[in-house]
């Protein structure tokens, strides 16, 4: 109600006795109260304010803190057992632990924490309860800020999430399929944060199959992005793209307009974020752990596609037999390129099948974006073919790969280069 909201946001008078001797002892409970008000704008602002306080969880030096803050925000411009039955239920919220008591580890952590974050630690269980209650909020900005809250905690003090790890990871997996792209982008950053330590990488491993499936599913070109890229390409081809020349004394308004235009042309999208996340995971885990889950999905995307998938929230079922969708096939090719850096040696055995696939895709693809992606994929795999053909690695040592003869490697290398040059 309006009276409740007014009371919640009313500042304390100087004469009022604020419980405790630290400002956060008063501020944190007030922000928690605002998370339950009916007005979504207030909920968003309260979450954003709370997120600013969560940066205090980092007790390292100020320079390290600034680097971590930059890492959290710069990705866009980057031993817990799992209950399989709970994961397969695919709940859209993580409120299942809302009635559980606060873990004793929180109290132990409070005793070892500096005074300025004690209030955050004490109220952490309540805060996560609130996030669980809000996880199905109809407002996309609220859901996005919830994901950001969890990501900040994971980045600065991941041990606080340990009692709820399975539920939160399940929630974050479903966030990757959120209708609001900004929510899915923030979810990708959560998975990035968990790559920081060997313990969290091991804890994430049971989630790899569904995570890889979700990331590949989000690689598809959106209609808006496709329209924009084709319009820019057409303007460049016809020579009609507007080019701004600014004199030394150009007005600030014109300079700001040019900067805004440049930023708009490099908008960070869910497709780019998912590709970056898949590429990073391919480097963080053993190639076998990634390829055994990714290759069957990619093979299906490239061979069949599915015209029904773009309108649904889930990727195509491997058993489906719908007519090919070139956009799904293109996303499968992009996924193949994302795996190249982390899984390059392990992909050697597949080269005799991949090279003819790339060449035939360039010859038969009616989609220009498919031909462009194939050229990019070839550029990422060709160094390995060149290495196999010459027998010399990039550092000048002799190669020990024996998947095929140097003559076979040279033939595949030249086939790729010739097809690219023809395009």
């Amino acid at each position: 109600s309006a009276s409740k909201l007014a009371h919640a946001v009313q500042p304390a008078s100087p004469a009022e006795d604020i419980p405790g001797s630290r400002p956060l002892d008063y501020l944190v409970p007030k922000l928690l109260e605002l998370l339950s008000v009916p007005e979504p704008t207030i909920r968003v602002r309260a979450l954003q304010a709370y997120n600013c306080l969560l940066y205090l969880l980092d007790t390292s030096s100020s320079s390290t803190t600034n680097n971590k803050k930059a890492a959290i925000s710069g990705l866009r411009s980057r031993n817990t057992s799992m209950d399989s039955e709970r994961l397969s239920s695919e709940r859209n919220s993580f409120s299942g632990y809302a009635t559980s008591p606060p873990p004793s580890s929180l109290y132990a952590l409070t005793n070892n924490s500096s005074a300025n974050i004690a209030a955050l630690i004490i109220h952490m269980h309540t805060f996560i309860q609130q996030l669980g209650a809000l996880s199905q909020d109809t407002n996309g900005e609220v859901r996005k800020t919830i994901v950001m809250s969890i990501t900040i905690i994971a980045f600065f003090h991941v041990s606080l999430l340990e009692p709820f790890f399975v539920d939160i990871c399940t929630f974050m997996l479903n966030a990757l399929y959120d209708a609001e792209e900004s929510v899915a982008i923030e979810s990708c950053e959560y998975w990035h944060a968990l790559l920081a330590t060997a313990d969290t990488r091991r804890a994430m491993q049971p989630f790899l199959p569904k995570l890889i499936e979700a990331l590949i599913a989000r690689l598809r070109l959106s209609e808006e992005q496709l329209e924009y890229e084709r319009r820019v390409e057409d303007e460049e081809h016809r020579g009609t793209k507007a080019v701004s020349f600014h004199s030394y004394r150009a007005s600030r308004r014109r300079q700001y307009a040019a900067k805004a235009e440049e930023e708009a042309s490099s908008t960070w999208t869910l497709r780019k974020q998912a590709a970056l996340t898949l590429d990073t995971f391919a480097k963080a885990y053993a190639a076998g752990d990634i390829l055994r889950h990714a290759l069957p999905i990619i093979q299906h995307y490239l061979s069949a596609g599915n015209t029904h998938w773009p309108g649904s929230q889930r990727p195509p079922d491997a058993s489906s037999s719908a007519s090919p969708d070139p956009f799904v096939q293109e996303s499968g090719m992009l996924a193949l390129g994302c795996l190249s850096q982390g899984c390059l040696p392990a992909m050697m055995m597949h080269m005799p099948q991949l090279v003819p696939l790339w060449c035939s895709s360039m010859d038969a693809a009616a989609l220009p974006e498919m031909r462009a992606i194939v050229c990019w994929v070839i550029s990422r795999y060709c160094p390995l073919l060149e290495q196999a053909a010459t027998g010399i690695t990039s550092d000048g040592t002799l190669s020990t790969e024996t998947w095929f003869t140097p003559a076979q490697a040279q033939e595949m290398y030249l086939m790729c280069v010739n097809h690219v040059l023809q395009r």
Side-chain angles (χ1 to χ4, degrees), residues 133-268:
L134 293 173
S135 58
Q136 297 189 62
D137 197 289
T138 57
N139 186 280
E141 193 66 23
V142 173
R143 298 195 304 274
K144 171 187 171 181
T145 315
I146 290 172
V147 175
M148 292 176 66
S149 302
I150 299 172
T151 301
I152 296 172
I153 299 172
F155 202 91
F156 288 122
H157 229 310
V158 69
S159 61
L160 295 175
L161 301 179
E162 184 177 356
F164 329 109
F165 189 76
V166 173
D167 300 274
I168 288 177
C169 285
T170 304
F171 166 73
M172 286 296 193
L173 280 174
N174 285 281
L176 285 171
Y177 293 104
D178 197 285
E180 294 285 342
E181 285 199 357
S182 60
V183 178
I185 290 175
E186 294 298 336
S187 176
C188 288
E189 302 215 15
Y190 166 79
W191 300 104
H192 273 279
L194 292 185
L195 291 176
T197 68
D199 288 339
T200 50
R201 288 195 296 271
R202 283 194 297 270
M204 271 197 299
Q205 199 147 6
F207 298 92
L208 279 181
K210 288 187 175 294
L211 177 59
I212 292 173
E213 177 184 340
L215 290 175
I216 296 177
R218 303 304 291 195
L219 293 178
R220 190 179 189 273
L221 270 170
S222 65
E223 294 182 2
E224 294 79 7
Q225 185 180 0
L226 179 63
E227 181 182 354
Y228 172 79
E229 291 183 357
R230 287 187 173 180
R231 184 175 67 253
V232 172
E233 183 179 358
D234 183 63
E235 291 175 353
E236 291 178 349
H237 180 71
R238 292 187 287 109
T240 59
K241 183 180 180 180
V243 181
S244 301
F245 296 95
H246 301 287
S247 65
Y248 178 75
R249 297 182 179 180
S251 65
R252 287 186 177 272
R253 180 180 298 178
R254 185 172 297 179
Q255 292 175 2
Y256 289 153
K259 183 178 180 180
E261 179 183 356
E262 181 180 354
E263 291 176 350
S265 64
S266 58
T267 302
W268 193 254

Side-chain angles (χ1 to χ4, degrees), residues 51 242 265 302 374 417:
N51 287 353
S265 64
L302 293 174
V374 171
V417 171

Side-chain angles (χ1 to χ4, degrees), residues 25-45:
D25 291 341
Y26 177 80
L27 179 59
V28 168
K30 287 298 182 183
L31 289 175
L32 291 175
E33 288 181 24
L34 294 177
L35 296 182
S36 59
V37 301
E39 175 59 42
T41 303
I42 300 297
R43 296 199 298 273
V44 171
R45 295 294 182 262

